[in-house]
Amino acid sequence: MITLVTGGVRSGKSTHAEGLVPHDAPAGYVAPGLVPLAGDEEWTRRVRAHQARRPRCWTTVESADLAGVVRSATTPLIVDCLGTWVTRLIDDAGAWDAPAEAAAAVMRARTDLVTALRLAPVDVVLVTNEVGWGVVPEHRSGRTFRDELGRVNAAVSAVADRVHLVVCGRVLDLSGAPVVS
């Protein structure tokens, strides 16, 4: 079963996603973003808070190769989150000022991830941020991120068995909603 959990920042997405995986059995917690930079205490506190609430029987995997992690998984997975993954993909491609290059890098990884999810040997819960509900970002890099994460979210949603939207700490089940094609 593939579940996508989306919503705004600090809406409760990660906590909800973690509740979808048994806490008394092994699972993989996949952190696909960049490791916090030295001196970024606020980010370090966020990462530590996430780590502290995970059961001891869960294993943390830090990797941008989400498709590879999904294909090789033997226990349920939580991927938290696709937004940090897209950021890492664009960073790794050095493409913040080159939207076409960023789009190509993300498209390759997105296609590989969707293929892996279709054949996933285990349950996978993916967390993502819902973007594009506000103003158009002033900077090209912000628009690139918004556009690419929106494409990733739509592609993963299209193959997901369940889609949950978390708003203000409330969960809306969108699983039966039509998929835009």
Side-chain angles (χ1 to χ4, degrees):
M1 168 130 358
I2 306 302
T3 304
L4 179 64
V5 177
T6 187
V9 172
R10 297 291 191 202
S11 62
K13 301 179 306 290
S14 295
T15 302
H16 174 65
E18 291 164 7
L20 297 174
V21 176
H23 283 212
D24 60 353
Y29 195 101
V30 186
L34 296 171
V35 176
L37 299 173
D40 190 341
E41 293 304 316
E42 185 271 339
W43 185 253
T44 299
R45 281 192 302 277
R46 286 179 185 229
V47 170
R48 286 188 183 141
H50 275 255
Q51 291 169 337
R53 68 176 184 240
R54 294 180 206 152
R56 292 195 184 277
C57 57
W58 289 5
T59 303
T60 300
V61 177
E62 293 180 359
S63 177
D65 180 15
L66 293 186
V69 172
V70 168
R71 281 191 290 271
S72 65
T74 59
T75 64
L77 293 176
I78 295 175
V79 176
D80 195 356
C81 87
L82 295 177
T84 58
W85 180 59
V86 168
T87 299
R88 184 172 182 178
L89 293 172
I90 297 171
D91 275 351
D92 289 352
W96 285 107
D97 292 321
E101 289 176 32
V106 175
M107 183 185 70
R108 284 189 301 274
R110 178 182 71 229
T111 301
D112 198 22
L113 174 61
V114 166
T115 300
L117 289 171
R118 283 190 174 121
L119 303 170
V122 298
D123 291 343
V124 181
V125 178
L126 302 105
V127 178
T128 191
N129 293 303
E130 193 55 47
V131 294
W133 288 6
V135 298
V136 174
E138 176 181 357
H139 301 285
R140 180 183 345 177
S141 60
R143 292 188 300 273
T144 297
F145 172 80
R146 177 205 56 195
D147 294 349
E148 294 312 317
L149 183 56
R151 290 180 182 111
V152 166
N153 289 349
V156 171
S157 173
V159 299
D161 301 295
R162 300 184 303 187
V163 178
H164 294 172
L165 172 63
V166 182
V167 180
C168 301
R170 303 285 181 129
V171 179
L172 298 170
D173 187 346
L174 304 177
S175 304
V179 176
V180 177
S181 55

